[in-house]
Amino acid sequence: ENDAPSEEKDHPHHRGVWLSHGDVNGYDFWAGMVGKKDAVIRTDKVETEKTDTTATITASLTWLGDGKELLREKRHQTFSRPNPKTLVIDIHSTLSAVADKVTFGDTKEGTFAIRTDRTLRVKGKEAKSTLTNSNGETNLDAWGKRAKWAAYSGPDELGKPVVVAIIDSPKSF
């Protein structure tokens, strides 16, 4: 939309937080390509649970390539606030192959991402952030690299300091 003229419109397929992959048996689930090869993640069931300290969304999903089931996914997203200034989103996903053979291709598109505000980027007109990962790499040298964690730090659009981090679970392979 044109209501935010300074906002970049380069990646309309990017959502706030997402899990997908750019090449699963040749299907591009990252960009949500529909057309030549349809790649769709279908929501089969959603359950919610709320406690005094957390809210959890559990979704049963099916990854479809041209209408054929490739994967089934069970995704749990738990939201909590350990303190008033911190929001934790814990995402646990289990993917199970349905097709006889499932291959995750080597691509820069995948598998988990966060789209940050334009000030929390290292590239672009309004970028004011620093990206650091657990390997000690920074900015564009850290982008797209395997690491135990990656964090953007910088000001939000109001100038307040913010850190957005992705931390891999020690239980993850």
Side-chain angles (χ1 to χ4, degrees):
E1 295 187 23
N2 294 323
D3 58 347
S6 64
E7 185 171 328
E8 295 178 31
K9 295 164 182 58
D10 59 334
H11 290 79
H13 56 281
H14 284 187
R15 291 134 184 108
V17 176
W18 72 102
L19 188 151
S20 59
H21 198 80
D23 179 0
V24 180
N25 287 11
Y27 296 94
D28 184 356
F29 289 91
W30 187 265
M33 300 304 279
V34 176
K36 184 176 179 185
K37 284 189 166 188
D38 288 349
V40 175
I41 300 176
R42 181 183 70 208
T43 304
D44 298 320
K45 183 178 181 184
V46 175
E47 298 171 325
T48 60
E49 181 182 339
K50 184 180 177 205
T51 70
D52 290 340
T53 58
T54 64
T56 301
I57 301 168
T58 301
S60 298
L61 309 165
T62 303
W63 295 43
L64 303 161
D66 285 331
K68 298 179 198 115
E69 291 187 6
L70 301 175
L71 299 163
R72 289 205 183 108
E73 179 185 0
K74 183 72 97 174
R75 189 181 304 176
H76 304 275
Q77 300 174 103
T78 302
F79 302 81
S80 61
R81 283 206 174 270
N83 64 61
K85 292 186 175 187
T86 304
L87 172 63
V88 174
I89 304 172
D90 186 20
I91 299 176
H92 177 160
S93 177
T94 302
L95 294 165
S96 303
V98 176
D100 290 338
K101 182 178 178 183
V102 175
T103 302
F104 284 76
D106 185 12
T107 172
K108 71 178 184 65
E109 263 59 79
T111 295
F112 181 81
I114 295 175
R115 181 71 168 183
T116 61
D117 186 68
R118 59 198 171 274
T119 60
L120 285 172
R121 297 182 190 162
V122 297
K123 201 168 114 176
K125 292 183 288 187
E126 298 181 53
K128 297 176 184 171
S129 180
T130 299
L131 168 61
T132 306
N133 70 21
S134 60
N135 303 327
E137 298 160 316
T138 59
N139 298 328
L140 295 179
D141 290 335
W143 188 81
K145 301 286 177 51
R146 182 181 291 257
K148 293 179 181 177
W149 57 263
Y152 283 91
S153 58
D156 67 11
E157 61 185 16
L158 300 175
K160 295 181 182 177
V162 175
V163 175
V164 176
I166 298 174
I167 304 169
D168 196 15
S169 169
K171 296 177 184 176
S172 176
F173 64 90

